[in-house]
Structures are given as C-alpha cells and as structure tokens.
Amino acid sequence: MTTAVVTGLGITAPNGLGTEDYWKATLAGESGLGPVTRFDASQYPSRIAGEVSDYVAEDHIPSRLMPQTDHMTRLALTAADWALADAGIDTAEMPEYGIGVVTAASGGAVEFGQRELQNLWSKGKEYVSAYQSFAWFYAVNTGQISIRHKLRGPSGVLLTEQAGGIDSLGHARRHIRKGFPAVISGGVDAAICPWGWVPQIASGLMSTADDPARAYLPFSEDAAGYVPGEGGAILLVEDAESARGRGAAQVYGEIAGYAATLDPAPGSGRPPGLRRAAENALADAGLAAGDIDVVFADASGVPDLDRAEAQALTGLFGAHGVPVTAPKTMTGRLLAGGAALDVATALLSLRDGVIPPTANVTAAAPAHTVDLVTEAREANLRNALVLARGHGGFNAALVVRRAH
C-alpha cells in the first residue's frame, strides 16, 4: 500500500515562529502563555492565552490579500508557504491536479466576522466588507492556500475542534493512497477575540488563573482548566515514492496509523472512545502497544478529562508504561491547530531523539499513574502516538513512524 510521509513543516506558534525557533523554545521549556493583549479581557473570568505575538502579517502576506483575510488565515498562509519551502516543492512543476489541501477548522475566522458585525450594528450595511461573504468561512484556510499556490487537487476541511488537526492528516493520507502525489494538511486557528472567547468560557472548561505558569497544568493535582492559544502547523504530506523520485530534502516520518471515534451519549454507561481510537490507530499501523515509544497527550487540563485520558493510557500501556508529554502547555490549546502542532512536534522528536517537556508541571498526580515527561528527555524513538479530543465527543489518534 502507498506510504504517506511528511516532507515539509510550517509552524506558527505562541512560543516560536518557524519550525526551528519553535522547536528550540519547546525543548527549553519556554512558554508563550501570557495575559491577553489582542483585546481587553479584564472583565472576563479568563485572561490568559497563547498569542503569536511576534508575527507581523505585512512581512509575509501580499498587500492585496490583507483586506480579505483574518489573522487566522494569514497565519495559515504563512505556515503553508513555509511547509512548501521546507519540502522543496515547486507547485508549478507538479501535475495540475496533483496537490490537494485538507485543513482543520473550529469556528472559522471569528475575529474578522466580529469586526464586520460590529460595523453592521454601529454604522450600517454600507460599512460591511464584501469579503465578509467568505473571509469568516470555516473552509477559508483551505481555499486561500489553494488559490495562492494554484492547487487544484482534492480539497476539504474537517470540523472536529481540537481533533481536527489529526483528522485532516488522516484524510490527507487517504488522498495519497488514492494516487495523488501530495497534500497540504494540518490546521491553524485563531479565536482570541470576544466572539471566540465567550463560547469557550461558556464551556466551563477554561482556566481562570491569572498566573501564566499556573493556569494550564494537565495531569497535575492542581489542574483547573485549559488555556486557549492561536497558531498551529501545516504539513506537506507526500507519497513516499514521489518524494524519492523528486529527491526530497528530508522525510520527517511516516503517517503509519490513524483512527477516529465518537464518545457515546452521556449516561449510556459506555466508556469514552479515546482508548478505542488509540487501539485502532495502532492496529492500522500494524503495531502493538509496546512498539510506541512516546505519547503526545490531548492533555485537557480539566480534572475529569485528564482522569479519563490517564485511564485510557494506563489501560493500553500499563501504569507508567510509556513516556507521556504535553508540550501544548507552552502554547495553550490551539483549537483546530493544536493536534497538527502536536504531530509536527512528534515528528521533530523522532528526528532528534528527544521528548519535549510538559511545562510548569512538576509531576503527574499520583492517581494518574502516567510517566509524565517534565524535562526534555533523550530517548531512542521509533514510533509516536498523538492523541486529541475535540469538544463534542470527537477523538482522534495518529501514529507517526521515524523515517529510515
């Protein structure tokens, strides 16, 4: 069967712009969490976020695109540019319908939409941008990336919140197996504005701590919710034979296994679907639990959800059976961008033989019985399992294998 590999990475994260800057900061445990600056959050109960603070859109985006794009889409376009450049692909030399685009989204470009609704309410319809017709749309990142690089291959968007970054890569692999040489995939999100903030507060899952170092502590006894962030990762997924044929500069790893499940209805008495997703992804990769060398956890930071994930991990690997890490403690949960960034991080871990730390957590709560990595740890890494859960009961699992 056709092998899907990752040959390019583009990362825009709160603790680093570009792959190597992000990776250096992550290994050092440098956090991008801090007080919200993109809007006045002083009257809200949650005031900490992971912002991509050193990004200047005009340095990366053509002026003609600025009026028609949201902050989210600009980050996605930049990440896609970097992924293509990293892979060394000239899209003009590829078959006309050869490269597809499949990205993840949560609620679309909410900052752009909020601004135009404010104009409509306060000034009238004449002041609403015509670009509002598509700039807010949850498929806008896929569309703008496709247009910018003249990509006419199979395209789509997955709306499974935090699980979407994995789901998009699973669909990218499906297209590769159908015979397409390459797919741009992953997720980038940005919803740090009142319109994106209030729904997350309403979930009751956000942290209300004001100290960035204490606000997001997954698996800790002090866990009390999550911190949102913005950014994510775009990956270039390619047919391995095609990559060899064009002399790809590097192969970060193989997408070896993928699975998705949906949690049962509350009160049904059936267990959550996360463990089943992990088991199915392992089976898809032809691996046993003992073949996994590190798990990149969903790491909700919500005590009940942390407990459920820890139970799934213990049931699958045994108590303290595999190193578990959550580098998203340095970025926050990035909605549709989170799992894609975790997959990119897992590939970098396989490349360099090092597991990044879970920042600000000194140890897992004793009840969780997981081997939580709290300082960068060198290891012989062959296979990594990445887990994600999206609001609404979505579960996704991806196995990535080290390049040979």
Side-chain angles (χ1 to χ4, degrees):
M1 186 173 288
T2 303
T3 299
V5 296
V6 176
T7 56
L9 299 178
I11 293 175
T12 55
N15 64 336
L17 269 178
T19 298
E20 297 307 325
D21 284 352
Y22 162 77
W23 185 228
K24 180 180 178 181
T26 298
L27 290 180
E30 296 176 4
S31 175
L33 304 186
V36 171
T37 65
R38 293 190 63 80
F39 70 99
D40 181 4
S42 60
Q43 301 303 308
Y44 294 90
S46 299
R47 294 175 287 272
I48 302 296
E51 298 181 343
V52 183
S53 58
D54 52 353
Y55 177 76
V56 180
E58 290 79 4
D59 292 344
H60 306 280
I61 304 299
S63 58
R64 65 180 178 79
L65 288 180
M66 291 296 291
Q68 60 179 279
T69 52
D70 179 82
H71 178 58
M72 173 192 78
T73 301
R74 294 166 189 167
L75 290 174
L77 285 168
T78 301
D81 288 350
W82 289 344
L84 285 166
D86 188 38
I89 278 189
D90 182 352
T91 57
E93 295 180 357
M94 299 293 285
E96 183 179 3
Y97 292 90
I99 302 181
V101 184
V102 181
T103 66
S106 58
V110 294
E111 189 174 23
F112 193 105
Q114 176 181 311
R115 183 182 68 243
E116 298 310 315
L117 285 177
Q118 286 175 322
N119 287 342
L120 175 65
W121 178 261
S122 62
K123 299 178 182 179
K125 64 182 186 298
E126 297 84 2
Y127 293 87
V128 177
S129 169
Y131 296 124
Q132 167 66 4
S133 60
F134 64 82
W136 69 272
F137 194 41
Y138 48 79
V140 66
N141 288 355
T142 288
Q144 289 284 17
I145 292 169
S146 301
I147 294 167
R148 177 167 171 77
H149 296 284
K150 299 180 174 62
L151 307 177
R152 303 180 69 181
S155 298
V157 59
L158 280 299
L159 286 88
T160 50
E161 208 248 356
Q162 187 83 11
I166 285 178
D167 289 332
S168 67
L169 291 165
H171 280 253
R173 185 183 67 160
R174 185 175 300 169
H175 290 309
I176 296 296
R177 287 179 167 178
K178 289 179 179 178
F180 295 94
V183 180
I184 294 174
S185 190
V188 173
D189 217 330
I192 303 178
C193 64
W195 201 13
W197 202 250
V198 171
Q200 295 188 74
I201 291 175
S203 73
L205 305 179
M206 278 177 64
S207 171
T208 57
D210 282 332
D211 180 356
R214 305 299 298 165
Y216 182 28
L217 303 170
F219 299 113
S220 167
E221 287 188 303
D222 298 323
Y226 76 93
V227 168
E230 63 183 8
I234 298 294
L235 295 76
L236 197 289
V237 183
E238 193 169 358
D239 170 65
E241 186 174 335
S242 173
R244 283 193 296 269
R246 69 175 184 84
Q250 74 276 309
V251 172
Y252 288 98
E254 174 192 347
I255 298 178
Y258 161 71
T261 61
L262 190 65
D263 286 339
S268 67
R270 297 164 57 199
L274 184 63
R275 177 175 173 178
R276 185 160 50 91
E279 291 172 337
N280 290 349
L282 288 175
D284 185 39
L287 299 176
D291 296 318
I292 296 298
D293 302 303
V294 60
V295 174
F296 284 75
D298 175 68
S300 168
V302 177
D304 288 348
L305 294 175
D306 283 351
R307 185 180 307 110
E309 184 171 20
Q311 289 172 350
L313 292 171
T314 302
L316 184 56
F317 298 103
H320 306 286
V322 64
V324 176
T325 189
K328 59 169 63 74
T329 47
M330 292 170 262
T331 64
R333 291 176 68 82
L334 309 185
L335 303 177
L341 182 59
D342 273 347
V343 172
T345 310
L347 290 166
L348 294 169
S349 291
L350 296 178
R351 182 193 71 178
D352 293 347
V354 59
I355 303 171
T358 304
N360 300 320
V361 180
T362 55
H368 292 329
T369 64
V370 295
D371 176 16
L372 191 67
V373 177
T374 58
E375 295 183 359
R377 182 189 300 181
E378 293 186 359
N380 179 26
L381 304 176
R382 304 158 299 161
N383 305 295
L385 173 65
V386 185
L387 300 177
R389 292 173 293 185
H391 188 64
F394 300 104
N395 304 287
L398 195 79
V399 175
V400 287
R401 179 180 291 137
R402 185 176 66 198
H404 298 293

